[in-house]
Amino acid sequence: MTADMPAARILIVEAETTIARFVSDALKEEGFTVFIEGTLKEGLTACSTRQPDLVVVDLGLPDGDGLDLIGSFRTFSTAPVIVLSARTDEKNKIQALDLGADDYIAKPFGMGELLACVRAQLRRRALINPETPEPAVDIGDVHVDLGARTVTKNGEPVHLTKLEYRLLQTLIESRGKVLTQRQLLQRVWGPAYVERPHYLRIYMSRLRAKLEDDPARPKWLLTEVGVGCRLAL
């Protein structure tokens, strides 16, 4: 764990004992406190009693679906949830993200990837400080002042329309997390627009044209094909 990374409690809900111990040992080496549960029921109990700072959950649990744990956890906690699953189909990934998961890693996986994901999610959580609700964010050479609602690139003002700014703000608030098309359409345009994905494509293209150095090869405003979009911070 780096010097600026506070200690965190991580709950692993994983039916495969070997994988659970493998992940647990790696996280402990990073300095985290780790708890392991092997069933949906045990995981749900631990979510409420342990109050974890981050949850790593498998979807294929012996007594139920990890999706149920995500949905239940989101009723009382905003802590990051990382799915670690052998299910690789797009439908399950979208379901998990729509329920509130922050990232989805398919098995087999690299431990380096998982640890980097854990660190990124905990950093993002630390940046969202309720005592400073109007932060400024740097995205490469783009500076966004969320308090003043201004955007500059290389020190020069960038004009964003109301909807462009709202989309950017939504991505910033969930920086590093993949937001599904449905989530973005509902948050930016409203419930009546969740079946209009072309709106999102148009406005993401406009944001890239204004903020990315090479809009055709974006570095920050990324699209996960068939799933949604994320801000790579």
Side-chain angles (χ1 to χ4, degrees), residues 76-135:
F76 62 87
S77 177
T78 59
V81 175
I82 298 173
V83 173
L84 195 60
S85 178
R87 300 180 191 173
T88 57
D89 57 290
E90 186 179 289
K91 180 181 178 181
N92 277 287
K93 184 173 183 179
I94 292 174
Q95 282 182 314
L97 294 169
D98 271 338
L99 283 168
D102 295 88
D103 213 331
Y104 194 109
I105 298 177
K107 298 177 182 177
F109 63 96
M111 185 55 67
E113 177 189 8
L114 176 59
L115 292 177
C117 183
V118 167
R119 290 191 294 266
Q121 291 299 333
L122 291 173
R123 277 198 303 270
R124 183 179 66 83
R125 181 170 173 80
L127 286 170
I128 303 174
N129 185 342
E131 296 180 1
T132 56
E134 298 181 344

Side-chain angles (χ1 to χ4, degrees), residues 6-232:
R9 300 179 306 281
I10 298 180
L11 171 64
I12 301 170
V13 186
E14 169 62 64
E16 297 183 52
T17 305
T18 302
I19 292 179
R21 289 177 178 171
F22 180 50
V23 174
S24 174
D25 289 345
L27 290 170
K28 286 178 179 178
E29 286 184 7
E30 294 278 309
F32 299 114
T33 299
V34 183
F35 309 100
I36 299 176
E37 302 294 351
T39 68
L40 175 62
K41 183 178 179 180
E42 292 168 347
L44 288 170
T45 299
C47 280
S48 58
T49 59
R50 299 289 190 182
Q51 298 184 340
D53 298 302
L54 183 144
V55 176
V56 178
V57 60
D58 185 13
L59 298 186
L61 299 173
D63 59 337
D65 197 315
L67 293 171
D68 294 330
L69 184 143
I70 298 170
S72 176
F73 188 57
R74 276 291 168 261
T75 64
F76 62 87
S77 177
T78 59
V81 175
I82 298 173
V83 173
L84 195 60
S85 178
R87 300 180 191 173
T88 57
D89 57 290
E90 186 179 289
K91 180 181 178 181
N92 277 287
K93 184 173 183 179
I94 292 174
Q95 282 182 314
L97 294 169
D98 271 338
L99 283 168
D102 295 88
D103 213 331
Y104 194 109
I105 298 177
K107 298 177 182 177
F109 63 96
M111 185 55 67
E113 177 189 8
L114 176 59
L115 292 177
C117 183
V118 167
R119 290 191 294 266
Q121 291 299 333
L122 291 173
R123 277 198 303 270
R124 183 179 66 83
R125 181 170 173 80
L127 286 170
I128 303 174
N129 185 342
E131 296 180 1
T132 56
E134 298 181 344
V137 177
D138 289 315
I139 308 167
D141 54 15
V142 174
H143 181 78
V144 184
D145 188 324
L146 295 170
R149 297 176 67 85
T150 58
V151 180
T152 59
K153 181 176 173 62
N154 292 319
E156 296 296 322
V158 177
H159 173 72
L160 297 182
T161 67
K162 182 178 179 180
L163 284 172
E164 288 169 352
Y165 182 84
R166 190 181 301 170
L167 175 57
L168 177 62
Q169 182 180 26
T170 301
L171 290 168
I172 288 173
E173 289 171 351
S174 296
R175 68 199 82 178
K177 173 182 177 180
V178 178
L179 293 173
T180 64
Q181 293 181 358
R182 190 179 186 88
Q183 287 174 321
L184 284 166
L185 289 165
Q186 181 163 337
R187 294 183 192 181
V188 178
W189 284 272
Y193 294 83
V194 295
E195 303 298 335
R196 301 182 184 182
H198 62 284
Y199 278 43
L200 184 57
R201 289 194 296 270
I202 291 170
Y203 278 82
M204 283 296 291
S205 177
R206 290 180 181 177
L207 280 182
R208 291 189 184 110
K210 293 182 178 182
L211 304 180
E212 294 276 4
D213 290 334
D214 185 353
R217 297 179 178 83
K219 182 178 180 181
W220 308 106
L221 299 163
L222 306 181
T223 295
E224 299 287 343
V225 179
V227 181
C229 305
R230 67 185 173 93
L231 177 64

